[in-house]
Amino acid sequence: MKLNSLLYSFRQGLKNIHRNKFYSLASVATMIVCIFMFGVFSAVVVNVNHVVREAEKGVAVVAYFDEGITDEQIAKIGDTIRARDEVESATYVSPEEAWEEFAPIYFGTEDPELTEDLIQDFAADNPLANSASYEIYLKDVSKQDELVKALSEVEGIRRVDSNEVVADTLTNFNKLVGYLSIGIIVLLFAVAVFLISNTVAVGIAVRREEIGIMKLIGATDVFIRAPFVIEGMILGLVGSGIPLVLVLLLYKRLEAFIESQFGMLAGVISFVPAGRVFSYLVPVSLCIGVGIGFIGSMLTIRKHLKV
Amino acid sequence: MIHMDNVSKAYSTGNPAVNEINLHIEKGEFVFIIGSSGAGKTTLFKLILKELEPSSGTITVAGQELNSMKRKQIPKFRRNIGVVFQDFRLLKDRSIYENIAFAQRVVETSSRRIRREVPQALSAVGLAERYRAYPSELSGGEQQRVALARALVNKPQLIMADEPTGNLDAQNAWEIMKMLEEINEQGTTVLVVTHNREIVDAMKKRVITLEDGRIVSDEKEGGYEHEA
Ligand SMILES: Nc1ncnc2c1ncn2[C@@H]1O[C@H](COP(=O)(O)OP(=O)(O)O)[C@@H](O)[C@H]1O
Ligand SMILES: [Mg+2]
């Protein structure tokens, strides 16, 4: 299609929208709700994922060694563990470190000096002499089962401890948020496609006579259809642009609010920066919006515009 | 220009609207098609434009065989033909200028050519000054002249008019017919369906009479006087 014709089709598409304000407004409004919800859900999911990922860093698998294992063997096991894809990091905890961590809990008294003495007395005869271990952190908690199974089969490992409840809860929560938002969004998008296709159908009905004349004069299918496809895409574009701006403003506001009200929690509740969220949310939403407009108008055109 | 061999067209209901028609119209001819209402004249037009498929028989228009023509080729084919209707079929929401430019836009003519050729087409039908008016501001005769300008602007080889004077008074009817004759004298083939007895008799052109879907007479310089 020539640029000239494209401009003409574009003007006709705008004219369709202008003539058919009520339907156009209804479909844009629905799109706005859809994309707004999509934006909010995405922002929530991204942030929940972010929090979960942070939480995951605290969930470790601990592998204990066989008795009388040599330092060399320990180092080799460490290499094996670190070579695995799902492993983020593995730290060696010596019996001395384990004792230092555990003793204050075990001997905890009112008097810190007395506690210190007790710990020193027992240090020489470390009750945890056999508790050397690797603390292993995963990139993704859902892979925990797999790792535990694999580690149990490694030569030199006596026992593997893991916290299954925490891992399962985090994984399930992630899934739930994901499925729920996908479900709601798919439903809303179906409504948006329906409304846009109806809007375009009204535009086609209004232009019946014009389309008839165009066909007789020798207009191509593409030329006859273009204004309606463009109409749908403009509705989709407007319907996704507006809510994106709204979500962005809301996000920034919330970020600033949390910052000012809970400044001391900055380390605990950390927002994913707006730039990172919107660098993908903007193109994805615009594509979805224009895509819905395109699909909605194509559905109607195929049905009502058999050229 | 138009060759129809044993062409029949039956709608899903009733007798064939066009029945075993053999018709040959050469380049540069001026032909009237007459016949009572329901004789099959409009059906014949639609077959020539490939708006309808014949039930049987072959049709060739402007050197193109219509039976085997692909859907995608139809728009290009129709650009050879200018059409005029009884009810003008102008677009009421745009000016006279835009109505004619429309015919060029839909076949993707350049803006430069549109700016040059729309005024030419309007001058040819004597409406150069009215380009800014809207169809509702024009008389029936003027509206039909605009429709004629729209049919002409893409310089088709063939003009087909289906009862172009049906809604016009005698004076305006004559003006339209004279314009069609002028167009024909410049080399365009013209096919006119009409009920206007006076004009047909006076113009001494080829006259084809249809009755119940059949050609019952085809006279070189015919007229209604040949009818029984
Ligand atoms: N779309 C249609 N469906 C069924 N019958 C039709 C249709 N169009 C025309 N006819 C019938 O075909 C016959 C010829 O109609 P038409 O070609 O319009 O005649 P004319 O233009 O000479 O008045 C008539 O009997 C008419 O009722
Ligand atoms: Mg008719």
Side-chain angles (χ1 to χ4, degrees):
Chain A
M1 204 180 221
K2 291 179 185 166
L3 179 67
N4 217 7
S5 306
L6 205 63
L7 289 175
Y8 178 78
S9 300
F10 195 82
R11 279 203 306 276
Q12 299 308 310
L14 284 177
K15 205 164 161 184
N16 285 349
I17 293 171
H18 180 71
R19 269 194 201 158
N20 192 6
K21 286 186 212 75
F22 178 74
Y23 266 89
S24 302
L25 215 65
S27 36
V28 166
T30 313
M31 283 289 298
I32 289 176
V33 175
C34 287
I35 300 286
F36 183 79
M37 293 198 63
F38 175 71
V40 169
F41 273 124
S42 301
V44 169
V45 168
V46 166
N47 277 286
V48 166
N49 265 328
H50 177 68
V51 170
V52 167
R53 196 136 313 138
E54 290 295 311
E56 279 173 1
K57 287 182 186 159
V59 180
V61 173
V62 184
Y64 298 96
F65 311 113
D66 289 341
E67 272 176 50
I69 197 166
T70 65
D71 287 354
E72 258 167 62
Q73 280 171 305
I74 289 175
K76 233 172 106 190
I77 291 171
D79 291 342
T80 317
I81 295 171
R82 288 191 194 94
R84 296 188 64 83
D85 279 344
E86 68 272 23
V87 171
E88 168 84 34
S89 67
T91 5
Y92 175 68
V93 181
S94 66
E96 292 75 26
E97 284 165 340
W99 178 241
E100 267 172 38
E101 221 175 276
F102 181 62
I105 303 162
Y106 191 71
F107 291 115
T109 63
E110 297 287 305
D111 179 358
E113 252 175 68
L114 177 63
T115 308
E116 192 58 27
D117 285 349
L118 278 167
I119 293 169
Q120 291 304 322
D121 287 350
F122 273 87
D125 185 22
N126 187 349
L128 298 179
N130 267 324
S131 67
S133 65
Y134 272 114
E135 262 179 37
I136 306 157
Y137 295 92
L138 289 114
K139 286 179 187 148
D140 175 359
V141 228
S142 65
K143 298 273 168 60
Q144 183 176 286
D145 277 356
E146 209 176 296
L147 178 71
V148 169
K149 207 174 282 168
L151 288 181
S152 316
E153 277 155 25
V154 172
E155 182 109 18
I157 291 184
R158 165 167 50 104
R159 191 158 62 85
V160 183
D161 279 357
S162 62
N163 191 339
E164 272 158 40
V165 177
V166 175
D168 285 354
T169 309
L170 287 179
T171 311
N172 289 340
F173 185 64
N174 254 353
K175 276 189 191 153
L176 184 71
V177 171
Y179 288 145
L180 202 69
S181 41
I182 288 170
I184 293 172
I185 287 160
V186 164
L187 195 76
L188 278 169
F189 282 158
V191 174
V193 167
F194 174 76
L195 272 173
I196 288 196
S197 75
N198 267 332
T199 308
V200 171
V202 172
I204 290 174
V206 170
R207 287 182 183 257
R208 271 261 162 260
E209 191 181 12
E210 184 179 342
I211 291 166
I213 297 168
M214 286 168 89
K215 286 185 194 174
L216 283 177
I217 292 173
T220 58
D221 289 4
V222 172
F223 191 90
I224 292 172
R225 291 171 169 194
F228 302 105
V229 177
I230 290 171
E231 176 187 357
M233 285 165 74
I234 291 173
L235 292 177
L237 192 69
V238 175
S240 54
I242 292 172
L244 274 177
V245 174
L246 291 179
V247 175
L248 179 65
L249 290 176
L250 198 70
Y251 198 92
K252 290 252 180 200
R253 271 244 141 141
L254 205 63
E255 210 176 16
F257 177 73
I258 298 230
E259 183 79 22
S260 68
Q261 297 296 310
F262 307 102
M264 65 285 192
L265 290 177
V268 187
I269 309 174
S270 69
F271 257 64
V272 178
R276 221 170 79 205
V277 177
F278 284 83
S279 67
Y280 87 90
L281 191 58
V282 170
V284 167
S285 302
L286 289 180
C287 284
I288 291 176
V290 174
I292 284 179
F294 181 78
I295 293 168
S297 51
M298 277 317 268
L299 282 177
T300 298
I301 286 167
R302 291 178 68 106
K303 203 165 115 200
H304 297 285
L305 251 190
K306 293 203 186 78
V307 204
Chain B
M1 179 61 61
I2 300 171
H3 299 281
M4 302 180 101
D5 291 301
N6 297 316
V7 172
S8 294
K9 171 69 193 180
Y11 293 103
S12 48
T13 55
N15 298 327
V18 162
N19 202 347
E20 291 290 320
I21 280 193
N22 287 289
L23 174 65
H24 299 274
I25 294 171
E26 300 308 321
K27 206 168 182 309
E29 279 197 84
F30 188 117
V31 181
F32 281 121
I33 296 178
I34 62 175
S36 53
S37 181
K41 306 180 295 294
T42 298
T43 303
L44 189 72
F45 262 41
K46 288 185 172 169
L47 287 168
I48 294 168
L49 283 162
K50 203 173 164 71
E51 266 191 87
L52 289 176
E53 298 297 321
S55 310
S56 62
T58 57
I59 307 173
T60 305
V61 178
Q64 289 175 266
E65 221 268 297
L66 299 195
N67 300 61
S68 60
M69 184 180 286
K70 303 238 164 51
R71 245 179 52 82
K72 269 188 96 81
Q73 299 171 299
I74 296 175
K76 274 266 160 58
F77 159 70
R78 287 193 182 145
R79 294 176 193 186
N80 293 305
I81 307 171
V83 280
V84 178
F85 304 95
Q86 178 171 359
D87 54 358
F88 323 134
R89 299 204 193 164
L90 300 177
L91 301 172
K92 294 167 190 66
D93 64 336
R94 49 201 100 174
S95 67
I96 299 316
Y97 182 95
E98 268 309 316
N99 263 280
I100 295 165
F102 172 76
Q104 294 200 293
R105 292 195 206 287
V106 305
V107 300
E108 306 195 47
T109 309
S110 71
S111 307
R112 207 159 48 85
R113 273 189 55 194
I114 292 174
R115 277 196 296 273
R116 191 178 65 231
E117 293 175 6
V118 172
Q120 284 173 3
L122 274 171
S123 300
V125 297
L127 286 172
E129 283 90 49
R130 305 299 312 268
Y131 69 94
R132 252 189 300 213
Y134 278 72
S136 58
E137 297 161 16
L138 300 184
S139 73
E142 287 171 324
Q143 287 188 54
Q144 193 60 301
R145 274 145 69 188
V146 174
L148 194 53
R150 182 179 67 189
L152 283 174
V153 73
N154 289 330
K155 304 190 168 58
Q157 304 179 46
L158 170 66
I159 294 264
M160 304 213 302
D162 193 354
E163 308 197 23
T165 61
N167 287 351
L168 305 181
D169 58 36
Q171 167 78 22
N172 279 308
W174 263 110
E175 265 177 36
I176 292 292
M177 284 302 178
K178 282 290 164 202
M179 279 176 189
L180 284 168
E181 189 175 33
E182 233 171 82
I183 291 159
N184 172 245
E185 277 160 9
Q186 283 157 24
T188 309
T189 311
V190 176
L191 198 58
V192 184
V193 166
T194 187
H195 281 126
N196 198 314
R197 188 179 289 262
E198 231 176 285
I199 290 176
V200 173
D201 287 345
M203 281 179 69
K204 302 273 178 264
K205 302 290 184 188
R206 180 176 170 190
V207 178
I208 293 170
T209 310
L210 278 184
E211 210 171 277
D212 292 334
R214 293 178 188 275
I215 294 179
V216 295
S217 80
D218 185 346
E219 306 276 336
K220 208 155 178 52
E221 286 190 6
Y224 273 83
E225 68 264 30
H226 297 278
E227 262 186 75

